[in-house]
Amino acid sequence: MNSTSARRLGIALIVLVSGGYTIIPLVASLATASASPNARLLVVLTAFYWPHFVHVRQAFTGTRSRWFPATLAVQVVAAYLPEALGFTGWSAGTAPLLAGPVLLLLPLRWGGVLVMMMAAMEFWWLQGIFHNVTGSFFYALTIVITGAMIYVIVRLVRVTTELEQARADLAEAAVLKERLRISRDLHDGLGHSLTAIVLKGDLATRLMDRDLPAAKTEVGTLVQVAREAAQEVRQVARGYRRMSLAGEVHRAAALLESSGIGCQVNLSEITPSREQDEALAWAVREGVTNILRHSRATTCSITTSSRAGRIHLEIVNNGLSPDDARTAGPFGGGLVGLVERAAQVGGTVEAGRTSEGGFRLTMEVPT
């Protein structure tokens, strides 16, 4: 059931109950009064039901009119004044309905106290007139039950509306999260592959005139990288990105060596979980991509170690210029995505220039 259907059903139930209680004061009035007083009582009945339905409507929408205290006062007067003027039994039909707006529009603590006071007053009033404990108690109890019923109906409709809005918000958040995932994976993964393709293409072009077999080898490697890039795009679309630290380090070392950058790898014997392994692999990919794009490095080191219950990954190169340091700094889009990946597994990322003029990227994740 959606919020619109729930609200229509709630309104129908309240109108039905309100119409049923209308019979009580009308029968009492017709039995004890002449035509002229009955006409005045119909006016009073209108004065009671108009603010009653206004209050219920406000409760359904969660709003409150600036005339709220006055409208509630009008409903209270219309509920009890005829009884005070001698129309016995009038409040037995109006007081139960009045309890609903009291609970809905006042703080529940104070509204509950007032409803209990209304029930006690009704019992005392009817007991003094009819001297019937059972009947007086029954009419007093209807105040509490009817007020609670109206309150529950309105609250259920409100909760249904809130749940529907929450579902819409969650769906929108899920769509946004998926868009961010695709954007991040394309940036981190495809950006690395495209950088490798450019480097391989440049190297093959330089070798074409002086070393044709080597150039053909580089072109073959370029084609293989392009195929891997296409496969990565398909994996991003399916939401599956399985990477490993060892595999990514192996590919990174080969790519750096082919680009003329010496790479020293020192991986400790560690067994991270799948999520942590993938986070570290993404760090290697991002670090190597930044080296190839932004640095003038001739050497690079990739090191992992385990200490104090955390796995420490460090990627250091020796050739980052001052201008390029700002480009590859921690405010770049790739490193921002890397920080998000690390945070998902309880890790941290740090990036900055070294004292020797190079650049260091580190990631720490719990073991």
Side-chain angles (χ1 to χ4, degrees):
M1 180 182 293
N2 57 31
S3 59
T4 303
S5 299
R7 182 175 179 181
R8 290 174 179 173
L9 179 59
I11 292 175
L13 289 173
I14 293 176
V15 169
L16 182 63
V17 171
S18 301
Y21 274 107
T22 306
I23 298 174
I24 298 175
L26 284 178
V27 170
S29 174
L30 293 173
T32 58
S34 59
S36 179
N38 283 334
R40 291 195 294 269
L41 287 177
L42 288 175
V43 174
V44 175
L45 200 62
T46 303
F48 173 83
Y49 276 101
W50 173 75
H52 173 68
F53 287 113
V54 169
H55 294 154
V56 171
R57 181 181 179 183
Q58 292 173 359
F60 273 122
T61 59
T63 59
R64 183 175 296 182
S65 171
R66 59 177 180 173
W67 304 107
F68 160 67
T71 55
L72 185 61
V74 170
Q75 189 175 5
V76 171
V77 171
Y80 288 106
L81 181 60
E83 189 84 33
L85 295 178
F87 289 90
T88 304
W90 179 269
S91 60
T94 55
L97 298 178
L98 176 63
V102 169
L103 291 174
L104 289 169
L105 300 180
L106 296 178
L108 188 58
R109 178 187 304 176
W110 300 111
V113 172
L114 289 176
V115 169
M116 296 304 297
M117 292 175 60
M118 290 167 57
M121 184 178 66
E122 190 71 19
F123 175 80
W124 172 80
W125 183 276
L126 294 177
Q127 175 65 15
I129 297 174
F130 299 108
H131 305 289
N132 186 331
V133 176
T134 303
S136 301
F137 178 78
F138 169 76
Y139 280 109
L141 188 60
T142 58
I143 295 177
V144 178
I145 294 176
T146 305
M149 183 192 66
I150 294 175
Y151 176 83
V152 169
I153 289 175
V154 174
R155 284 302 303 160
L156 286 177
V157 173
R158 291 286 305 279
V159 168
T160 301
T161 303
E162 292 169 3
L163 287 176
E164 190 174 77
Q165 182 61 43
R167 286 196 297 267
D169 293 341
L170 287 175
E172 184 177 352
V175 171
L176 178 60
K177 182 178 180 181
E178 183 65 9
R179 287 176 179 173
L180 291 175
R181 181 193 68 79
I182 293 174
S183 174
R184 183 181 61 191
D185 285 1
L186 286 177
H187 177 278
D188 296 348
L190 193 58
H192 173 84
S193 299
L194 292 177
T195 299
I197 290 172
V198 171
L199 291 173
K200 292 294 183 181
D202 289 342
L203 181 58
T205 301
R206 291 195 300 269
L207 293 173
M208 195 70 68
D209 295 331
R210 64 176 186 267
D211 193 346
L212 186 58
K216 290 181 178 180
T217 301
E218 294 300 329
V219 170
T221 305
L222 185 153
V223 172
Q224 181 60 33
V225 172
R227 288 174 178 170
E228 291 177 356
Q231 180 65 21
E232 288 176 355
V233 172
R234 288 191 290 270
Q235 290 175 345
V236 168
R238 292 196 301 265
Y240 178 77
R241 295 286 299 160
R242 183 67 178 98
M243 296 175 61
S244 68
L245 175 61
E248 198 60 37
V249 169
H250 176 75
R251 285 191 291 269
L255 183 58
L256 288 170
E257 293 287 352
S258 67
S259 302
I261 301 175
C263 182
Q264 181 180 359
V265 177
N266 184 16
L267 301 182
S268 62
E269 295 294 331
I270 55 177
T271 55
S273 67
R274 174 178 173 177
E275 292 78 10
Q276 294 160 341
D277 193 43
E278 287 188 351
L280 294 169
W282 279 113
V284 172
R285 174 168 290 197
E286 177 64 23
V288 171
T289 300
N290 280 343
I291 292 172
L292 295 173
R293 285 180 175 177
H294 306 298
S295 78
R296 301 170 185 174
T298 57
T299 62
C300 171
S301 65
I302 303 175
T303 307
T304 61
S305 60
S306 179
R307 58 192 181 192
R310 298 179 72 82
I311 300 173
H312 181 84
L313 168 69
E314 182 177 83
I315 305 173
V316 181
N317 72 81
N318 69 338
L320 194 68
S321 67
D323 292 338
D324 292 335
R326 290 192 296 270
T327 305
F331 301 102
L335 290 177
V336 170
L338 196 59
V339 170
E340 295 174 354
R341 294 182 189 276
Q344 290 175 355
V345 295
T348 59
V349 173
E350 294 183 0
R353 297 176 58 190
T354 65
S355 57
E356 296 80 10
F359 190 79
R360 176 183 289 107
L361 172 67
T362 63
M363 175 184 282
E364 280 194 355
V365 297
T367 55

